[in-house]
Structures are given as C-alpha cells and as structure tokens.
Amino acid sequence: MELYEHKKIEQKWREKWETSGVYKTTEDADKEKFYILDMFPYPSGVGLHVGHPKGYIATDIIARYKKMKGFNVLHPMGWDAFGLPAEQYALKNKVHPRVATQENIATFKTQIEKISLNYDWDREFSTTDPDYYKWTQWTFLQMFKKDLVYRSHEPINWCPSCKTGLANEDLEDGACERCGTPIEKKKMPQWVIKITDYADRMLADLDGLDWQENIKQSQRNWIGRSEGAEIEFRIKNEELKSTSQKVILMHGKDTDPSQKWYPWLAAEMQKKKIPFVAPVLLHADDPHMDEWLSQLDDTKPTEDTILIGHSRGGVAILRWLEKQPENFKVKKVILVATNYAKCDEKHTKDNTHGFYTDAGYDFEAIKKHCDDFVVLHSTDDKWVSFSHGETNAHGLDANFIKFNDRGHFGSTLKKQEIPALLDLISGVQDISIKVFTTRVDTIFSGAFVILAPEHELVEILKEKISNGTEVEEYIQAAQKKTEIDRTAVDKEKTGVELKSVTVINPATGQEIPVWISDFVLAYYGTGAVFADAHDARDFVMAKKYNIPLTVSIRPKSDAAWEKVKNFEECYEEDGILVNSGDFDGLTSEEARSKITQWLAQKDLAEEKTSYRLRDWVFGRQRYWGEPIPLIHCEKCGVVPMPEEELPLVLPDVEHYEPTDTGESPLAGIDEWVNTECPQCGGSARRETDTMPQWAGSSWYYLRYIDPKNDTALVDPQKEKYWSPVDFYVGGEEHATRHLIYARFWHKFLFDIGVVSHDEPFAKLQTVGLIIAEDGRKMSKRWGNVINPDDVIERFGADTFRTYEMFMGPFDASVAWNTEGMIGSRKFIERIWKIYYRDYVGGETPNALKKTLHKTINKVGDDIEEMKYNTAISAMMILSNDIEKQKSISTEDFGAFLKILCPFAPHITQELWEQMGNTSFLIEENWPVYDEKYLSDDEIELVVQVNGKVRDKIMVAADIAEDDAKEKALASKKVQKFIDGKKVRKVIFVQGKLVSIVV
RNA sequence: GCCGAAGUGGUGGAAUUGGUAUACACGCACGACUCAAAAUCGUGUGCUUCACAGCAUGAGGGUUCGAGUCCCUCCUUCGGCACCA
C-alpha cells in the first residue's frame, strides 16, 4: 500500500491548480452568479494564527461547492493596509510603512496559499495602491460636492498617545480603542462626513437583510434612534424681545449677496423668521463709496437693526456710521474680515473711491451710534491683515472673535464654520431653550430645565445671569473632566442654577428655573432637557438641590402611587396622566401624541427623531493614509482637487513621525503642501490630514468586480451582474464600525448612481473565534499562538481544513485542541486506505448505497447552511460504513470524493487521478442523489407508554395506523406496563412512534 | 439599567424544529497484533443499581400522550448600548 504523504500530494496539486488557472473567475452570461467574500485582512507583522483562516476555509468550501453546482463564482482576496497599526509597526521597527506593508502582505499571502484557497489572485489589490485609493479619494470628492463633508469646529476626540483625532467609533469606554489611552477633547477644525444623514435609511434597511440578529442589533444600538419631540421653553425676559428688529447684510468687493456666506445665513434667518435685507451693491467690481452709502440709507436702519458687513461692506458700514446724526443708534454691528485702511500691497493701486483715508476711522464718532460691536477676523486672511481686525476691535471696544483658518471667509464656508455668527444673530430673536424628549407625557410636571455646560445659550445669557462666577467655575470644572468621568453612570449629580434666568413651561405656563449640569450631553438631542419627577436622574438632582417637583404620571398599582405621590419613589414607567389639565386620564402613549399635537399648534413643539450616531470625523493627523484631496486657497477658500488629477499620491518621505501640534506630518513637506489653486491659480496649500483606516475598506468589495478599471470605480454592467455580495463572512468585531461605514458608503454610491443596489451585503455570517488551548485569546503576549504553517507541515492542509470546520458550529468560538486534530487526520487517512485496500471497484451493497445518497443530500444542504461540522460527521459515518462493508463501486467512490473535495481538495484530487481521471474535481458536477435511496423500507417504530420508551419494533415504513397500534399493544414489553390499566388513548405518528396513554 | 445570543457526558459538540437525548470526534478503559512500544484494528464508555428499574439537557414551575426544543420566574456566561433625556 502506498503511503499517504500529504506534503508531496498537496504541493503537487497546488502547483497544478495555479498554473492551470482553474481558480480564475468565469463570467459566462448564461450562468447564475455567486459572489462570496471574506472580510479582507489587515496584514500585520506577526503573520496569521490558526484562527484567521477559519472564515477563509469556509468561504473556500462554499465557493468550490457553488462552482461544482454550475455558478460563476467570484471569490477574491485583497489587503486592507492603510492606517495606524501598520504605521506604528513601521515606527517601532524603523521600516517605512510602505515597505512593512509589502513585507506583511507577502507573509500573509504565503501562509494563505499553503491552505489552497481558491482565490482569483488576478483581482488582488491593496487599499494602499494609488490605482485603488484614487477611487476612495474620488468618492470623497463626490461627497464633498454633495455637501456631505463639512468642517467642524467642535472639540474632537484626541488620543495623546497616537497623536491623532479619532471618530466616535474608534473609542472604547472613553479610551482609544488601539492603545487604551483615555482620550482628550481637543479643539481643532476637522473634516467630518455627515453619516447621520443616512441614519434612518441604515436603520430601516436592516430589516431586509439576511444577517444574524445580533449584528443587526449592534447596528441598531449604534445608530440609536429615539422618537420624541422638540419642545420650546421660552425665556422669561422681556428685554431680549424685539419686534421691529432687522438684519442688513452688506457684501464686499467683487461679489454679491448670493455668494460668500450669505446663502446659508439668509436661509438660517428665514428659518428663524428674522427679517433681513441684503442689497445688491452697485459696481461691485469697482465700488464707489457714495453709491454704497446711499444704498445703505435706502435700507432704513433703525435702533433695532443689526448691521453685518463683509470685507469692504464692513468699511461701508463704518463710513456710514461716521456720518450719522448725533442721537442715532443701531442695535449691533458685526464686521467680518473688515479692513482698517487699505488692503495689502496688491491693492494700493486700487481706486478706493472714498473707502479709505490715511487716518483710518473716526472711532469715537462711530461708537456713539452703537454699543455693541463684534469683529470677526481670521489670522490667515491674506487680504486683510490681522492688525486691521485688531485695530478695528480695539478702536470700537468690540467683542473680538479670532479664527485661525477661515481665510477671507470665502465662498465655500459653511454655516457650521461660523457658529459664532449664528449665536450673535440669534440674540435678536425671542430666546428660547429647545429640549428633546421622548416623554412628552410628563411635560406638565416639567419642573426645571437643564442645559449642558457647553450649551451655546449659556454664553448668550451670560449678562443676564446673576451668579456668573459660580456658573463659570462649574463650566471650567466640567471641561477639565475626562470623557470617562463625564459619562460614568453612577456619578453623583451636580449642577448650578442660572440665577435670574427663568423659562416658561409651555404646557403649564409656569415660570421654572434653569440649571446647568454635566450629565446633560451637549452632543445629544439639543444639549438641553426638561427635568421632572419621572426620571431618576432629575429626581435625584431635584432632591439634592431642593427643587420643587410635581408628579404627572400615575402608576397602575395604588401602593406604588402612594409612594410616587409622596416623592418616596421615582416612577419612570408609562402610566395614567394626572395633574395634566385636559389630558388627565389618558395613558402615557395616548398623551404623547396628543400633547405634542397640542403644543405644535401653538408652535411650541414639533415631532423629532434623535440619533446616537454621530458624524464621522474623517481626518487623521498621521502619515499612513489616503491624502484628502482638498486645497486651501487664500482667496477661494477650500477648493476640491480636479478629479482628472487623481490620485493624489501620498508623498514618499523618510520622516513621517506624528507631531504633537495636532498637525499631520504631511504639513512639514513644503514641496508637497504648496500648490496652486485649481480655481484662481493663486498660491494655495493642500489639506494635510489623511483619511481614517476605515475609508479604504468601505467599498473594496466593489473593486474586485472590476479591479483594473482606470476610468470608473466599477463598470456599471459588471456591477449590475455581480452585485450585491451574496455571502459575506468575517469577524463579529466589525459589527459596528466596518459595517456601518461600508453600508453608508454604499448607499452614497447608490444615490449618485454608481451602484445598482442600496445595500452591499445580502447575507452576512460571522466567524467564531478560535481561542488558544489555555482558554485565552491567541496572542504573542501569552505565548499561546499556533501558526497554521506548523500545523500544515505536520498534518497537511486537508486535515487542517477539515479540523477547523469540524471543531464546532461555524459561528461559535471554540478552543484549539491539537489532540483533537488526530480525529480529522484519521478520517483523511481512512479515505486513502479505502482506496489502497482495494475496497473500490466492486459492487456497492444496498445499505451502503443508502448511506451514500443520504450523505450526498446532507452535505449539500449543510454547506448551504454553513453547518460544516455535521457535514463532516456525515462523511465520517459514510467512510466508517465503507470500511465495514469493504466494497464500493468506482462510480460511488467518485461521488464520495466529489462531496469531500470542497473540504479536502488535495487528497480527493489525488485519488481521483489515481482512479484514472484527468479532470479537476472542482470542475466536475456536484453529484445528484437518488430519492429512492433516501427512504428505508423498514423502520424502527418506537412504542411509548405514558411518554416513556418501552419498546422498539421493526415494521414496514408505510405501515398503516391500525396495524401499528395493534402491533404496539401486542408487544410483550409494553404489555408489562399496561397490564391491569385502562388504555385511554393511542397516538400514532407516521414513521416515528406509537404512544399509549394509560 | 436596556437589547441580543447562549447554557446538553471527562472534552469539542449532535438532535430532521414538539416525537428514541448524548450522532460524529477527542479522551479514557479493556482486548487483538507485537519481544516491547508506537501505529492500526476491535469492544465498551451519562449517572445510580448485581439486576428490575429509576434519574439526567443551568435552577424551579407550567402546557402536552410526549419538552433540550413552547410559555412563566430566576441564575450564570458572552456580545452590543448606556447619565442618550
């Protein structure tokens, strides 16, 4: 008998398969397609451990099975290689990340190849290939153009150890997910993608997906939708009210009111019902002061007017004020990027037509006409130098607001970028506090309002608050706390009342106090809540500070009501309304919609949905990532790079260490950073932040469909054929981040017509972990890592594959057990022995024939359901049976090899060849089972008495009910148990049992 | 706290969805072969009991002729979310 030498056999077939191209994807249009995908790996320096290939083996089995079933199968593999892990590894080992990545990919690939996975390597790519990330950048630009990308000035999560900003998704319990360092809040402008625009669709579309429930649930939790209402609490302060107020917007040179920051500002003011005038100023390209002044006169400013001027429009306002009569006043003047004197050198030649004098402005005269000046200025404004802003502010005693990166407040600025401006004009309106609540039913007991310490109104109300110092101290203290401390659940509630500020409860009309407390989160809802007796946190806080409460929800039980009524207990559940005017007696649920409607009619409430999901902070201040293809122009603001110039290649440099300044290392590479503005041709700087690690992996599955296309992300015809991914297999750890980002990215591509389906992955299956023999996670740290190379060397790839699939249910995590592998090895060897003991070639006994056909049936079904462990056990039973019977026909043994081939491709292929075949098994058809062998003629009929098994009798499979009952009752063993008792009932289940009740 | 998944021999795990609980494999014990060992093959292996039989699927209750499977209460483990209004 020939020895089973796995090394020789496996090597031989690996080479044959590779050179024959049998793994290449076929695309005949008349065949059905099947796209099966693994979550591509992030190649690390450590290499693979035995846990990694588990999922790959499973997809390989399905891919082979589907191919044998006649499908065009797409089964690709590639590499996710940008991001921090590779960069940190590179820094530590002093190799360039590009080199380290190449090396790691090579290691991974060698390891993967030993397992003989049937990937079509022609479609391989890495997210770090410029040909690939060209399209990552392209998609980003499309998002930018669709206004899905904005500049945020909110404080971001900063990891002081990784020296980069992080998205919400990159945190674990308030610490950096990578290094465990508690994150800090850092104020720095950031590119952010409006993923929240897609929250609702991402949530709703989960229902149509064939995904595991736990993954869907994770997604739902992450999105965190809650339905409720936004309710307005008006501030009781007559001074802040004004009915005849008006805003006048004066634009600058070379522009008009529809440009610059006016469109959003106008829209915002319309929304807030603030009347405004924005005249089209005459001869904007060569303005004359007298024309502009008379136009400003025409707008008829009054003492309730707020004047806003941009650039030379601001100059006009100041010149106009200089000339006003003694007792005239306006309410407020806001100067944005406004000159003190002439502009820079370039403009000295301009005919200023009365705009500038060498003496500057007559500040004393101007100040008589307004008590409230605000100057907005950016330090990088190349048209109006910083000294102008400072001089103006100083001369006017203005509130000077300094920015760092707004340039000349150019045309692409978005409203998020000048929140200060909005705050300023919001001061003209009736001030109200908007709160979000899911419990409108408790509004009648709303006893006070709580703001987050960062709430914008705290600043606006500053002057009205009589205990300003105390409030300031509380805010300072809150800001010093880390995110972990801020959000600890069982932390004691603290707060400070904003004295002299009260609001009106819109339901009761009562005046109630306003507090700030750090348990209210600025970033959720509106950053403000109303507090009452029906929320545990509010309840505790009210008790602590003796804030009077009332109750409005009555529990069903009287005993509970007694306690609730006397404030001995906080009742948070739904109940029946009390103390709620006309709504008394309603259930909470009824009351919620009715009260919302009632308040909405009075314009004091509207239905609202809030999400936990936050926008995607998209910039990383690190080297190893896709450069963000945006250009900062001094004159034009932020300008997208022309698409035809993509990819914007990451410069190859020697030094790429992160900086401490919050600036990307790319900022130090002058020859890369300095560029021309694509719009005006002037000097400009590139954006220096790079994209987060998750960008490249958000759409890679589309690129496999058409990996070499350099004119489109993917060819629409090919996309239509192969999309969506039919089966996606990977780790549960990607339940939130990767799958959220990829679904979002895909939906965006769907919206702009690049893809034809609105969801990328039709079916998703997670892989269970393989834990080490000691029960811990496999890790270098514990020294318990098992390398697949060693296992394959000793046992062979066929045994390795079979064992990993036999270990347990595919999605369960199971501990590795090298001893257990012996069973799989024995099974593989048994197949070999069956052939070499000459059992093959004769007749197949009938009983064996039945086992065979049942097994063919079961293995097919089990593969479809990913129940590999039972598929293998069925084949073990079959091989045990063949050994017992010692005879099987050539054809039947061939069928066995075919169904085993997806699991153990080498040995089955070798034996197939030994039997005289020249074809590849993977190109054979999947065997068809014969119905007639699936059923037995005789079956074992179980006889139960009072539910207990008392006898088993052999009967014909199609035995009639009466015959079966008769036989059962006649059984001697059964007689023993029914003797002397009365038979009350006899139940017959076809093919199974007879149950006798006595 | 909310939501989700799961709990079966010494071990990994089966069980056609309400119908013989413990398939298959590991381990262990005994036997065959061998001078011996390994490998291989065979037999046995939930617990109690000489046996008859009884008891066993995290615990307790329920529905049913019959429950690992369905319902209720609770415990434990894992995963997601969490001062989210």
Side-chain angles (χ1 to χ4, degrees), chain A residues 241-514:
Chain A
K241 275 196 182 172
S242 169
T243 47
S244 60
Q245 68 216 348
K246 172 162 74 174
V247 174
I248 295 166
L249 290 166
M250 295 287 285
H251 65 76
K253 186 175 182 282
D254 292 331
T255 178
D256 65 69
S258 66
Q259 293 178 30
K260 299 286 169 186
W261 30 273
Y262 293 144
W264 64 263
L265 191 56
E268 204 62 30
M269 286 192 291
Q270 258 155 16
K271 214 167 102 193
K272 296 193 170 185
K273 294 172 190 146
I274 302 169
F276 71 97
V277 184
V280 180
L281 297 169
L282 294 166
H283 302 113
D285 53 339
D286 184 22
H288 285 64
M289 178 60 84
D290 43 354
E291 283 181 347
W292 284 22
L293 292 190
S294 79
Q295 285 185 276
L296 182 49
D297 267 334
D298 292 344
T299 64
K300 300 194 173 67
T302 68
E303 58 179 12
D304 288 316
T305 296
I306 294 180
L307 294 167
I308 303 181
H310 176 247
S311 194
R312 213 173 293 205
V315 177
I317 289 171
L318 294 175
R319 290 284 177 242
W320 184 80
L321 287 172
E322 275 177 349
K323 294 179 179 158
Q324 292 311 301
E326 190 77 12
N327 53 0
F328 176 80
K329 273 201 173 187
V330 294
K331 187 171 173 182
K332 188 172 207 150
V333 174
I334 302 174
L335 302 168
V336 182
T338 292
N339 328 58
Y340 170 69
K342 282 170 189 164
C343 288
D344 56 21
E345 282 306 301
K346 213 168 142 192
H347 286 72
T348 46
K349 291 189 208 94
D350 274 18
N351 180 355
T352 60
H353 297 303
F355 275 80
Y356 308 115
T357 66
D358 289 340
Y361 303 110
D362 183 352
F363 287 128
E364 289 314 307
I366 296 168
K367 276 196 287 188
K368 284 178 187 159
H369 303 304
C370 182
D371 300 325
D372 189 1
F373 289 94
V374 179
V375 172
L376 302 183
H377 196 93
S378 179
T379 50
D380 61 346
D381 187 338
K382 293 286 169 17
W383 299 90
V384 179
S385 81
F386 181 62
S387 61
H388 289 203
E390 252 188 351
T391 311
N392 282 339
H394 187 254
L396 295 165
D397 298 328
N399 180 10
F400 185 46
I401 300 176
K402 189 173 88 179
F403 294 93
N404 287 321
D405 56 351
R406 303 307 200 287
H408 194 53
F409 294 84
S411 57
T412 52
L413 279 182
K414 292 168 187 164
K415 77 175 182 201
Q416 292 86 347
E417 301 184 63
I418 325 183
L421 196 53
L422 269 186
D423 290 352
L424 293 168
I425 58 168
S426 74
V428 304
Q429 260 295 57
D430 250 4
I431 301 184
S432 63
I433 299 175
K434 284 189 173 155
V435 304
F436 175 73
T437 182
T438 56
R439 290 299 302 271
V440 187
D441 53 317
T442 67
I443 183 76
F444 280 87
S445 55
F448 55 113
V449 163
I450 315 174
L451 305 180
E454 299 85 355
H455 199 285
E456 54 178 17
L457 278 177
V458 179
E459 184 68 17
I460 291 167
L461 293 170
K462 211 158 67 183
E463 286 162 28
K464 315 289 171 200
I465 300 168
S466 55
N467 58 338
T469 328
E470 198 188 346
V471 170
E472 193 55 38
E473 277 168 12
Y474 184 84
I475 294 170
Q476 294 288 324
Q479 275 165 358
K480 271 189 205 140
K481 286 183 189 167
T482 66
E483 190 72 359
I484 305 173
D485 292 337
R486 272 289 295 270
T487 53
V489 181
D490 41 12
K491 197 191 61 178
E492 203 191 326
K493 306 283 171 282
T494 59
V496 171
E497 186 178 357
L498 303 183
K499 289 195 174 137
S500 325
V501 178
T502 56
V503 292
I504 312 281
N505 180 324
T508 61
Q510 266 166 357
E511 253 181 78
I512 57 172
V514 178

Side-chain angles (χ1 to χ4, degrees), chain A residues 53 67 107 118 127 225 262 305 406 436 456 464 479 518 535 542 546 560 562 590 662 667 671 774 785 834:
Chain A
K67 191 177 165 75
T107 310
N118 65 355
T127 52
R225 178 189 158 105
Y262 293 144
T305 296
R406 303 307 200 287
F436 175 73
E456 54 178 17
K464 315 289 171 200
Q479 275 165 358
D518 63 5
D535 178 287
N546 292 317
E562 207 51 41
E590 291 163 345
E671 59 278 20
D774 57 9
V785 176
I834 285 169

Side-chain angles (χ1 to χ4, degrees), chain A residues 551-565:
Chain A
V551 286
S552 63
I553 307 292
R554 185 195 159 123
K556 287 203 179 81
S557 108
D558 287 341
W561 174 229
E562 207 51 41
K563 285 186 180 164
V564 171
K565 199 164 59 174

Side-chain angles (χ1 to χ4, degrees), chain A residues 211-221 732 735 766:
Chain A
W211 289 18
Q212 281 159 255
E213 192 50 39
N214 57 337
I215 304 290
K216 289 195 193 180
Q217 202 56 40
S218 291
Q219 296 250 317
R220 287 189 194 107
N221 286 342
E732 202 172 344
T766 56

Side-chain angles (χ1 to χ4, degrees), chain A residues 196 198-204 206 216-226 524 610-614 736 740 743:
Chain A
T196 48
Y198 284 75
D200 235 349
R201 280 166 68 191
M202 288 202 281
L203 191 70
L206 278 173
K216 289 195 193 180
Q217 202 56 40
S218 291
Q219 296 250 317
R220 287 189 194 107
N221 286 342
W222 194 263
I223 296 166
R225 178 189 158 105
S226 39
Y524 184 77
S610 271
Y611 298 93
R612 199 205 68 100
L613 181 75
R614 278 187 268 163
T736 46
I740 289 265
R743 292 182 64 220

Side-chain angles (χ1 to χ4, degrees), chain A residues 228-247:
Chain A
E230 208 170 274
I231 301 178
E232 212 174 307
F233 285 69
R234 296 220 161 118
I235 289 190
K236 174 84 177 157
N237 193 332
E238 293 304 320
E239 292 166 53
L240 290 164
K241 275 196 182 172
S242 169
T243 47
S244 60
Q245 68 216 348
K246 172 162 74 174
V247 174

